Amino acid sequence: MVDIQLKCTQNPRSIRSGFSFDLDVETYNKLRDPERSAPGHLALLIVPPDIGRWISHQPDSIVLSCHGYWTSLHGMGEASSNVTTAISLPEHQQLTVKAMGTMFDAARRMTSAGGVGVN
């Protein structure tokens, strides 16, 4: 099992090494909890301005017309605010099929280790 909080925006906040997203502290704390049984992640989809172009449905597929980035929040420190916290999503961590495989592999390692808090 993998927990992903998926957010989307048309106007991402760029930072030097990627993007930043303000996540509410309640969600952040749930995803970062080192005692959880599955790693928590934040994924940010950057979508085109025309909402009609976001998704294309086909009989055998769904195509998203966007690009995305992700980061693991599992085990991160406490937020410095009690409302939102800025999360950095590195530009090199694109949300791809390979990245999803990495997330699932990490979850399998946590499960096979028989403990929580393994990243």
Side-chain angles (χ1 to χ4, degrees):
M1 184 167 97
V2 173
D3 288 337
I4 299 174
Q5 180 72 42
L6 180 62
K7 301 291 187 178
C8 74
T9 183
Q10 294 175 358
N11 301 305
R13 188 169 63 234
S14 294
I15 57 174
R16 182 178 53 192
S17 60
F19 301 94
S20 179
F21 185 83
D22 291 335
L23 186 63
D24 66 278
V25 171
E26 181 180 355
T27 301
Y28 173 75
N29 284 335
K30 287 178 183 176
L31 293 171
R32 75 174 187 87
D33 185 354
E35 298 300 316
R36 61 183 297 119
S37 60
H41 300 83
L42 174 66
L44 180 65
L45 295 182
I46 301 172
V47 296
D50 179 5
I51 195 168
R53 292 183 42 224
W54 287 12
I55 299 175
S56 172
H57 293 165
Q58 305 298 324
D60 60 348
S61 66
I62 295 176
V63 178
L64 300 175
S65 297
C66 58
H67 56 281
Y69 303 89
W70 68 279
T71 193
S72 175
L73 301 180
H74 190 81
M76 290 184 72
E78 290 189 31
S80 58
S81 166
N82 57 3
V83 179
T84 63
T85 188
I87 306 298
S88 295
L89 296 110
E91 191 172 38
H92 70 273
Q93 285 187 193
Q94 294 181 354
L95 188 60
T96 63
V97 171
K98 184 177 179 180
M100 296 292 289
T102 299
M103 291 178 205
F104 288 117
D105 288 344
R108 276 191 288 277
R109 283 192 305 272
M110 284 179 70
T111 303
S112 67
V116 292
V118 178
N119 209 1

